[in-house]
mmCIF file of all heavy atoms in Angstrom:
data_model
loop_
_atom_site.group_PDB
_atom_site.id
_atom_site.type_symbol
_atom_site.label_atom_id
_atom_site.label_comp_id
_atom_site.label_asym_id
_atom_site.label_seq_id
_atom_site.Cartn_x
_atom_site.Cartn_y
_atom_site.Cartn_z
ATOM 1 N N LEU A 4 0.339 -22.538 4.170
ATOM 2 C CA LEU A 4 0.917 -23.739 3.567
ATOM 3 C C LEU A 4 -0.139 -24.741 3.130
ATOM 4 O O LEU A 4 0.085 -25.521 2.208
ATOM 5 C CB LEU A 4 1.860 -24.419 4.565
ATOM 6 C CG LEU A 4 3.266 -23.840 4.693
ATOM 7 C CD1 LEU A 4 3.979 -24.499 5.858
ATOM 8 C CD2 LEU A 4 4.036 -24.034 3.409
ATOM 9 N N MET A 5 -1.278 -24.734 3.782
ATOM 10 C CA MET A 5 -2.326 -25.690 3.459
ATOM 11 C C MET A 5 -2.716 -25.606 1.993
ATOM 12 O O MET A 5 -2.957 -26.626 1.334
ATOM 13 C CB MET A 5 -3.549 -25.445 4.344
ATOM 14 C CG MET A 5 -4.696 -26.427 4.143
ATOM 15 S SD MET A 5 -6.048 -26.132 5.295
ATOM 16 C CE MET A 5 -6.678 -24.562 4.681
ATOM 17 N N THR A 6 -2.756 -24.385 1.448
ATOM 18 C CA THR A 6 -3.153 -24.196 0.050
ATOM 19 C C THR A 6 -2.011 -23.737 -0.852
ATOM 20 O O THR A 6 -2.065 -23.938 -2.068
ATOM 21 C CB THR A 6 -4.303 -23.170 -0.045
ATOM 22 O OG1 THR A 6 -3.980 -22.022 0.735
ATOM 23 C CG2 THR A 6 -5.597 -23.772 0.470
ATOM 24 N N PHE A 7 -0.965 -23.130 -0.282
ATOM 25 C CA PHE A 7 0.187 -22.654 -1.046
ATOM 26 C C PHE A 7 1.449 -23.330 -0.510
ATOM 27 O O PHE A 7 2.253 -22.699 0.204
ATOM 28 C CB PHE A 7 0.326 -21.135 -0.932
ATOM 29 C CG PHE A 7 -0.720 -20.342 -1.655
ATOM 30 C CD1 PHE A 7 -1.966 -20.114 -1.085
ATOM 31 C CD2 PHE A 7 -0.452 -19.793 -2.908
ATOM 32 C CE1 PHE A 7 -2.932 -19.366 -1.749
ATOM 33 C CE2 PHE A 7 -1.415 -19.038 -3.573
ATOM 34 C CZ PHE A 7 -2.666 -18.836 -3.002
ATOM 35 N N PRO A 8 1.673 -24.607 -0.810
ATOM 36 C CA PRO A 8 2.814 -25.326 -0.221
ATOM 37 C C PRO A 8 4.175 -24.736 -0.573
ATOM 38 O O PRO A 8 5.135 -24.890 0.196
ATOM 39 C CB PRO A 8 2.669 -26.749 -0.765
ATOM 40 C CG PRO A 8 1.829 -26.605 -1.991
ATOM 41 C CD PRO A 8 0.892 -25.481 -1.703
ATOM 42 N N THR A 9 4.287 -24.035 -1.703
ATOM 43 C CA THR A 9 5.588 -23.496 -2.095
ATOM 44 C C THR A 9 6.049 -22.345 -1.188
ATOM 45 O O THR A 9 7.207 -21.918 -1.261
ATOM 46 C CB THR A 9 5.582 -23.023 -3.559
ATOM 47 O OG1 THR A 9 4.548 -22.047 -3.743
ATOM 48 C CG2 THR A 9 5.353 -24.192 -4.501
ATOM 49 N N LEU A 10 5.176 -21.849 -0.319
ATOM 50 C CA LEU A 10 5.597 -20.861 0.676
ATOM 51 C C LEU A 10 6.700 -21.419 1.569
ATOM 52 O O LEU A 10 7.490 -20.655 2.145
ATOM 53 C CB LEU A 10 4.415 -20.439 1.555
ATOM 54 C CG LEU A 10 3.294 -19.637 0.903
ATOM 55 C CD1 LEU A 10 2.163 -19.439 1.898
ATOM 56 C CD2 LEU A 10 3.806 -18.290 0.400
ATOM 57 N N ALA A 11 6.774 -22.742 1.681
ATOM 58 C CA ALA A 11 7.754 -23.370 2.562
ATOM 59 C C ALA A 11 9.185 -23.020 2.181
ATOM 60 O O ALA A 11 10.091 -23.064 3.022
ATOM 61 C CB ALA A 11 7.572 -24.883 2.549
ATOM 62 N N ARG A 12 9.410 -22.635 0.929
ATOM 63 C CA ARG A 12 10.767 -22.362 0.469
ATOM 64 C C ARG A 12 11.259 -20.967 0.866
ATOM 65 O O ARG A 12 12.461 -20.680 0.778
ATOM 66 C CB ARG A 12 10.851 -22.497 -1.049
ATOM 67 C CG ARG A 12 10.625 -23.916 -1.555
ATOM 68 C CD ARG A 12 11.002 -24.021 -3.029
ATOM 69 N NE ARG A 12 12.377 -23.601 -3.244
ATOM 70 C CZ ARG A 12 12.744 -22.605 -4.065
ATOM 71 N NH1 ARG A 12 11.832 -21.909 -4.736
ATOM 72 N NH2 ARG A 12 14.018 -22.295 -4.208
ATOM 73 N N ILE A 13 10.365 -20.117 1.304
ATOM 74 C CA ILE A 13 10.761 -18.745 1.634
ATOM 75 C C ILE A 13 11.406 -18.714 3.019
ATOM 76 O O ILE A 13 10.808 -19.142 4.006
ATOM 77 C CB ILE A 13 9.556 -17.792 1.602
ATOM 78 C CG1 ILE A 13 8.924 -17.760 0.203
ATOM 79 C CG2 ILE A 13 9.974 -16.385 2.024
ATOM 80 C CD1 ILE A 13 7.681 -16.901 0.115
ATOM 81 N N ASP A 14 12.627 -18.204 3.077
ATOM 82 C CA ASP A 14 13.309 -18.002 4.360
ATOM 83 C C ASP A 14 12.878 -16.650 4.908
ATOM 84 O O ASP A 14 13.029 -15.620 4.237
ATOM 85 C CB ASP A 14 14.822 -18.051 4.161
ATOM 86 C CG ASP A 14 15.562 -17.823 5.467
ATOM 87 O OD1 ASP A 14 15.254 -18.507 6.444
ATOM 88 O OD2 ASP A 14 16.436 -16.933 5.502
ATOM 89 N N LEU A 15 12.360 -16.656 6.117
ATOM 90 C CA LEU A 15 11.778 -15.446 6.689
ATOM 91 C C LEU A 15 12.407 -15.153 8.044
ATOM 92 O O LEU A 15 12.639 -16.063 8.836
ATOM 93 C CB LEU A 15 10.265 -15.641 6.825
ATOM 94 C CG LEU A 15 9.426 -14.544 7.463
ATOM 95 C CD1 LEU A 15 8.025 -14.543 6.853
ATOM 96 C CD2 LEU A 15 9.314 -14.766 8.983
ATOM 97 N N ALA A 16 12.669 -13.886 8.319
ATOM 98 C CA ALA A 16 13.176 -13.481 9.630
ATOM 99 C C ALA A 16 12.600 -12.116 9.991
ATOM 100 O O ALA A 16 12.615 -11.197 9.167
ATOM 101 C CB ALA A 16 14.696 -13.419 9.623
ATOM 102 N N PHE A 17 12.099 -12.010 11.216
ATOM 103 C CA PHE A 17 11.569 -10.731 11.699
ATOM 104 C C PHE A 17 12.499 -10.185 12.767
ATOM 105 O O PHE A 17 12.835 -10.868 13.732
ATOM 106 C CB PHE A 17 10.167 -10.895 12.272
ATOM 107 C CG PHE A 17 9.541 -9.582 12.668
ATOM 108 C CD1 PHE A 17 9.104 -8.696 11.699
ATOM 109 C CD2 PHE A 17 9.419 -9.216 13.999
ATOM 110 C CE1 PHE A 17 8.554 -7.462 12.048
ATOM 111 C CE2 PHE A 17 8.864 -7.999 14.360
ATOM 112 C CZ PHE A 17 8.420 -7.125 13.380
ATOM 113 N N ASP A 18 12.940 -8.950 12.594
ATOM 114 C CA ASP A 18 13.802 -8.276 13.552
ATOM 115 C C ASP A 18 12.917 -7.470 14.500
ATOM 116 O O ASP A 18 12.373 -6.426 14.123
ATOM 117 C CB ASP A 18 14.785 -7.350 12.812
ATOM 118 C CG ASP A 18 15.815 -6.716 13.735
ATOM 119 O OD1 ASP A 18 15.469 -6.363 14.874
ATOM 120 O OD2 ASP A 18 16.972 -6.555 13.295
ATOM 121 N N ASP A 19 12.779 -7.945 15.732
ATOM 122 C CA ASP A 19 11.889 -7.294 16.693
ATOM 123 C C ASP A 19 12.347 -5.872 17.014
ATOM 124 O O ASP A 19 11.518 -4.973 17.195
ATOM 125 C CB ASP A 19 11.828 -8.112 17.985
ATOM 126 C CG ASP A 19 11.261 -9.495 17.777
ATOM 127 O OD1 ASP A 19 12.029 -10.407 17.424
ATOM 128 O OD2 ASP A 19 10.053 -9.665 17.956
ATOM 129 N N THR A 20 13.649 -5.669 17.115
ATOM 130 C CA THR A 20 14.177 -4.359 17.495
ATOM 131 C C THR A 20 13.970 -3.329 16.391
ATOM 132 O O THR A 20 13.488 -2.223 16.634
ATOM 133 C CB THR A 20 15.668 -4.459 17.836
ATOM 134 O OG1 THR A 20 15.845 -5.409 18.901
ATOM 135 C CG2 THR A 20 16.214 -3.104 18.267
ATOM 136 N N ALA A 21 14.319 -3.710 15.165
ATOM 137 C CA ALA A 21 14.189 -2.778 14.039
ATOM 138 C C ALA A 21 12.781 -2.739 13.467
ATOM 139 O O ALA A 21 12.423 -1.784 12.764
ATOM 140 C CB ALA A 21 15.174 -3.158 12.934
ATOM 141 N N GLY A 22 11.990 -3.767 13.753
ATOM 142 C CA GLY A 22 10.645 -3.833 13.188
ATOM 143 C C GLY A 22 10.651 -4.078 11.696
ATOM 144 O O GLY A 22 9.821 -3.545 10.963
ATOM 145 N N THR A 23 11.615 -4.898 11.242
ATOM 146 C CA THR A 23 11.731 -5.183 9.815
ATOM 147 C C THR A 23 11.570 -6.671 9.542
ATOM 148 O O THR A 23 11.919 -7.523 10.369
ATOM 149 C CB THR A 23 13.095 -4.724 9.260
ATOM 150 O OG1 THR A 23 14.157 -5.366 9.993
ATOM 151 C CG2 THR A 23 13.233 -3.224 9.358
ATOM 152 N N LEU A 24 11.058 -6.976 8.371
ATOM 153 C CA LEU A 24 10.854 -8.342 7.928
ATOM 154 C C LEU A 24 11.730 -8.588 6.707
ATOM 155 O O LEU A 24 11.749 -7.768 5.781
ATOM 156 C CB LEU A 24 9.383 -8.568 7.579
ATOM 157 C CG LEU A 24 8.958 -9.970 7.153
ATOM 158 C CD1 LEU A 24 9.128 -10.958 8.305
ATOM 159 C CD2 LEU A 24 7.499 -9.947 6.685
ATOM 160 N N ARG A 25 12.459 -9.716 6.704
ATOM 161 C CA ARG A 25 13.293 -10.070 5.561
ATOM 162 C C ARG A 25 12.772 -11.350 4.928
ATOM 163 O O ARG A 25 12.513 -12.342 5.624
ATOM 164 C CB ARG A 25 14.744 -10.276 5.978
ATOM 165 C CG ARG A 25 15.685 -10.571 4.797
ATOM 166 C CD ARG A 25 17.127 -10.741 5.251
ATOM 167 N NE ARG A 25 18.026 -10.864 4.107
ATOM 168 C CZ ARG A 25 19.344 -11.053 4.212
ATOM 169 N NH1 ARG A 25 19.907 -11.145 5.420
ATOM 170 N NH2 ARG A 25 20.090 -11.176 3.117
ATOM 171 N N LEU A 26 12.600 -11.335 3.601
ATOM 172 C CA LEU A 26 12.151 -12.484 2.830
ATOM 173 C C LEU A 26 13.226 -12.839 1.808
ATOM 174 O O LEU A 26 13.663 -11.977 1.039
ATOM 175 C CB LEU A 26 10.840 -12.178 2.100
ATOM 176 C CG LEU A 26 9.654 -11.724 2.948
ATOM 177 C CD1 LEU A 26 8.495 -11.323 2.051
ATOM 178 C CD2 LEU A 26 9.219 -12.840 3.889
ATOM 179 N N ARG A 27 13.645 -14.112 1.794
ATOM 180 C CA ARG A 27 14.667 -14.555 0.849
ATOM 181 C C ARG A 27 14.253 -15.873 0.208
ATOM 182 O O ARG A 27 13.915 -16.830 0.904
ATOM 183 C CB ARG A 27 16.012 -14.750 1.557
ATOM 184 C CG ARG A 27 16.680 -13.472 2.024
ATOM 185 C CD ARG A 27 18.006 -13.744 2.704
ATOM 186 N NE ARG A 27 17.808 -14.433 3.977
ATOM 187 C CZ ARG A 27 18.798 -14.885 4.750
ATOM 188 N NH1 ARG A 27 20.051 -14.750 4.351
ATOM 189 N NH2 ARG A 27 18.539 -15.464 5.894
ATOM 190 N N VAL A 28 14.294 -15.904 -1.113
ATOM 191 C CA VAL A 28 14.038 -17.131 -1.861
ATOM 192 C C VAL A 28 14.529 -16.915 -3.291
ATOM 193 O O VAL A 28 14.264 -15.881 -3.901
ATOM 194 C CB VAL A 28 12.542 -17.516 -1.836
ATOM 195 C CG1 VAL A 28 11.668 -16.426 -2.445
ATOM 196 C CG2 VAL A 28 12.311 -18.855 -2.508
ATOM 197 N N ASP A 29 15.260 -17.881 -3.824
ATOM 198 C CA ASP A 29 15.819 -17.766 -5.172
ATOM 199 C C ASP A 29 16.575 -16.438 -5.307
ATOM 200 O O ASP A 29 17.443 -16.155 -4.495
ATOM 201 C CB ASP A 29 14.716 -17.928 -6.216
ATOM 202 C CG ASP A 29 14.060 -19.305 -6.139
ATOM 203 O OD1 ASP A 29 14.720 -20.253 -5.682
ATOM 204 O OD2 ASP A 29 12.883 -19.421 -6.524
ATOM 205 N N ASP A 30 16.227 -15.608 -6.301
ATOM 206 C CA ASP A 30 16.944 -14.344 -6.463
ATOM 207 C C ASP A 30 16.233 -13.172 -5.792
ATOM 208 O O ASP A 30 16.576 -12.005 -6.008
ATOM 209 C CB ASP A 30 17.154 -14.040 -7.950
ATOM 210 C CG ASP A 30 15.830 -13.910 -8.711
ATOM 211 O OD1 ASP A 30 14.772 -14.247 -8.137
ATOM 212 O OD2 ASP A 30 15.862 -13.490 -9.880
ATOM 213 N N ILE A 31 15.249 -13.475 -4.944
ATOM 214 C CA ILE A 31 14.525 -12.432 -4.207
ATOM 215 C C ILE A 31 15.112 -12.299 -2.807
ATOM 216 O O ILE A 31 15.263 -13.287 -2.086
ATOM 217 C CB ILE A 31 13.022 -12.765 -4.117
ATOM 218 C CG1 ILE A 31 12.391 -12.749 -5.509
ATOM 219 C CG2 ILE A 31 12.299 -11.777 -3.186
ATOM 220 C CD1 ILE A 31 10.962 -13.232 -5.531
ATOM 221 N N ASP A 32 15.480 -11.097 -2.438
ATOM 222 C CA ASP A 32 15.990 -10.816 -1.090
ATOM 223 C C ASP A 32 15.525 -9.412 -0.726
ATOM 224 O O ASP A 32 16.097 -8.414 -1.171
ATOM 225 C CB ASP A 32 17.510 -10.915 -1.055
ATOM 226 C CG ASP A 32 18.078 -10.820 0.367
ATOM 227 O OD1 ASP A 32 17.343 -10.398 1.269
ATOM 228 O OD2 ASP A 32 19.259 -11.174 0.548
ATOM 229 N N VAL A 33 14.453 -9.346 0.069
ATOM 230 C CA VAL A 33 13.824 -8.066 0.388
ATOM 231 C C VAL A 33 13.740 -7.897 1.894
ATOM 232 O O VAL A 33 13.289 -8.801 2.603
ATOM 233 C CB VAL A 33 12.410 -7.974 -0.215
ATOM 234 C CG1 VAL A 33 11.728 -6.672 0.215
ATOM 235 C CG2 VAL A 33 12.473 -8.057 -1.735
ATOM 236 N N THR A 34 14.189 -6.753 2.392
ATOM 237 C CA THR A 34 14.025 -6.365 3.788
ATOM 238 C C THR A 34 13.258 -5.052 3.819
ATOM 239 O O THR A 34 13.627 -4.102 3.124
ATOM 240 C CB THR A 34 15.373 -6.192 4.496
ATOM 241 O OG1 THR A 34 16.107 -7.411 4.440
ATOM 242 C CG2 THR A 34 15.168 -5.797 5.958
ATOM 243 N N ALA A 35 12.199 -5.007 4.603
ATOM 244 C CA ALA A 35 11.385 -3.789 4.660
ATOM 245 C C ALA A 35 10.755 -3.651 6.032
ATOM 246 O O ALA A 35 10.570 -4.641 6.755
ATOM 247 C CB ALA A 35 10.308 -3.815 3.575
ATOM 248 N N ASP A 36 10.426 -2.418 6.369
ATOM 249 C CA ASP A 36 9.734 -2.181 7.640
ATOM 250 C C ASP A 36 8.227 -2.329 7.428
ATOM 251 O O ASP A 36 7.770 -2.713 6.345
ATOM 252 C CB ASP A 36 10.100 -0.808 8.207
ATOM 253 C CG ASP A 36 9.698 0.346 7.281
ATOM 254 O OD1 ASP A 36 8.838 0.151 6.393
ATOM 255 O OD2 ASP A 36 10.257 1.451 7.457
ATOM 256 N N LEU A 37 7.468 -1.999 8.461
ATOM 257 C CA LEU A 37 6.027 -2.191 8.391
ATOM 258 C C LEU A 37 5.279 -0.894 8.078
ATOM 259 O O LEU A 37 4.100 -0.758 8.410
ATOM 260 C CB LEU A 37 5.515 -2.817 9.694
ATOM 261 C CG LEU A 37 6.116 -4.189 10.024
ATOM 262 C CD1 LEU A 37 5.520 -4.736 11.318
ATOM 263 C CD2 LEU A 37 5.901 -5.173 8.873
ATOM 264 N N SER A 38 5.965 0.031 7.430
ATOM 265 C CA SER A 38 5.283 1.201 6.897
ATOM 266 C C SER A 38 4.408 0.756 5.729
ATOM 267 O O SER A 38 4.513 -0.368 5.241
ATOM 268 C CB SER A 38 6.289 2.248 6.424
ATOM 269 O OG SER A 38 7.057 1.727 5.339
ATOM 270 N N GLU A 39 3.575 1.653 5.247
ATOM 271 C CA GLU A 39 2.707 1.309 4.119
ATOM 272 C C GLU A 39 3.526 0.898 2.902
ATOM 273 O O GLU A 39 3.220 -0.088 2.226
ATOM 274 C CB GLU A 39 1.807 2.497 3.776
ATOM 275 C CG GLU A 39 0.810 2.205 2.669
ATOM 276 C CD GLU A 39 -0.155 3.356 2.430
ATOM 277 O OE1 GLU A 39 -0.192 4.289 3.249
ATOM 278 O OE2 GLU A 39 -0.870 3.320 1.396
ATOM 279 N N SER A 40 4.604 1.639 2.621
ATOM 280 C CA SER A 40 5.426 1.315 1.467
ATOM 281 C C SER A 40 6.210 0.023 1.686
ATOM 282 O O SER A 40 6.397 -0.774 0.763
ATOM 283 C CB SER A 40 6.384 2.465 1.157
ATOM 284 O OG SER A 40 7.262 2.708 2.253
ATOM 285 N N GLY A 41 6.663 -0.204 2.924
ATOM 286 C CA GLY A 41 7.385 -1.429 3.230
ATOM 287 C C GLY A 41 6.507 -2.654 3.094
ATOM 288 O O GLY A 41 6.924 -3.688 2.540
ATOM 289 N N ARG A 42 5.287 -2.561 3.579
ATOM 290 C CA ARG A 42 4.351 -3.683 3.454
ATOM 291 C C ARG A 42 4.068 -3.983 1.984
ATOM 292 O O ARG A 42 3.944 -5.141 1.589
ATOM 293 C CB ARG A 42 3.050 -3.355 4.189
ATOM 294 C CG ARG A 42 3.186 -3.323 5.705
ATOM 295 C CD ARG A 42 1.927 -2.786 6.374
ATOM 296 N NE ARG A 42 2.114 -2.508 7.772
ATOM 297 C CZ ARG A 42 1.800 -3.328 8.767
ATOM 298 N NH1 ARG A 42 1.254 -4.507 8.497
ATOM 299 N NH2 ARG A 42 2.008 -2.997 10.017
ATOM 300 N N ALA A 43 3.961 -2.934 1.174
ATOM 301 C CA ALA A 43 3.704 -3.125 -0.254
ATOM 302 C C ALA A 43 4.874 -3.843 -0.918
ATOM 303 O O ALA A 43 4.675 -4.735 -1.763
ATOM 304 C CB ALA A 43 3.449 -1.782 -0.923
ATOM 305 N N ARG A 44 6.114 -3.469 -0.558
ATOM 306 C CA ARG A 44 7.287 -4.132 -1.120
ATOM 307 C C ARG A 44 7.297 -5.621 -0.770
ATOM 308 O O ARG A 44 7.608 -6.470 -1.606
ATOM 309 C CB ARG A 44 8.568 -3.477 -0.598
ATOM 310 C CG ARG A 44 8.887 -2.119 -1.187
ATOM 311 C CD ARG A 44 10.223 -1.635 -0.653
ATOM 312 N NE ARG A 44 11.311 -2.531 -1.058
ATOM 313 C CZ ARG A 44 12.400 -2.756 -0.335
ATOM 314 N NH1 ARG A 44 12.542 -2.171 0.856
ATOM 315 N NH2 ARG A 44 13.341 -3.553 -0.794
ATOM 316 N N LEU A 45 6.976 -5.930 0.471
ATOM 317 C CA LEU A 45 6.977 -7.325 0.907
ATOM 318 C C LEU A 45 5.864 -8.118 0.213
ATOM 319 O O LEU A 45 6.082 -9.253 -0.228
ATOM 320 C CB LEU A 45 6.809 -7.391 2.432
ATOM 321 C CG LEU A 45 7.994 -6.843 3.226
ATOM 322 C CD1 LEU A 45 7.589 -6.541 4.664
ATOM 323 C CD2 LEU A 45 9.170 -7.821 3.211
ATOM 324 N N SER A 46 4.699 -7.528 0.092
ATOM 325 C CA SER A 46 3.588 -8.193 -0.604
ATOM 326 C C SER A 46 3.927 -8.434 -2.064
ATOM 327 O O SER A 46 3.643 -9.505 -2.622
ATOM 328 C CB SER A 46 2.314 -7.354 -0.491
ATOM 329 O OG SER A 46 1.889 -7.238 0.850
#
C-alpha cells in the first residue's frame, strides 16, 4: 500500500482449509489455489 494505494480496494480472502485465495474488485473475481497455474492466475 505504501507505493500502490489502489490495492486497498481489492477484497481478499484466504481459505486455510482449501488453500485457496480469492481476489475481488470491480468485475474481477478470481479464486485459485497455490499451484503454479493458480499463482499465475492470481498474479
Side-chain angles (χ1 to χ4, degrees):
L4 279 172
M5 183 176 69
T6 48
F7 289 82
T9 57
L10 292 174
R12 294 192 56 238
I13 299 177
D14 179 52
L15 177 149
F17 185 73
D18 186 322
D19 298 86
T20 302
T23 57
L24 183 65
R25 183 179 187 182
L26 303 174
R27 290 180 292 175
V28 60
D29 298 334
D30 60 350
I31 295 173
D32 188 345
V33 176
T34 301
D36 61 19
L37 300 181
S38 64
E39 184 175 349
S40 61
R42 290 171 191 264
R44 286 184 63 212
L45 292 162
S46 296

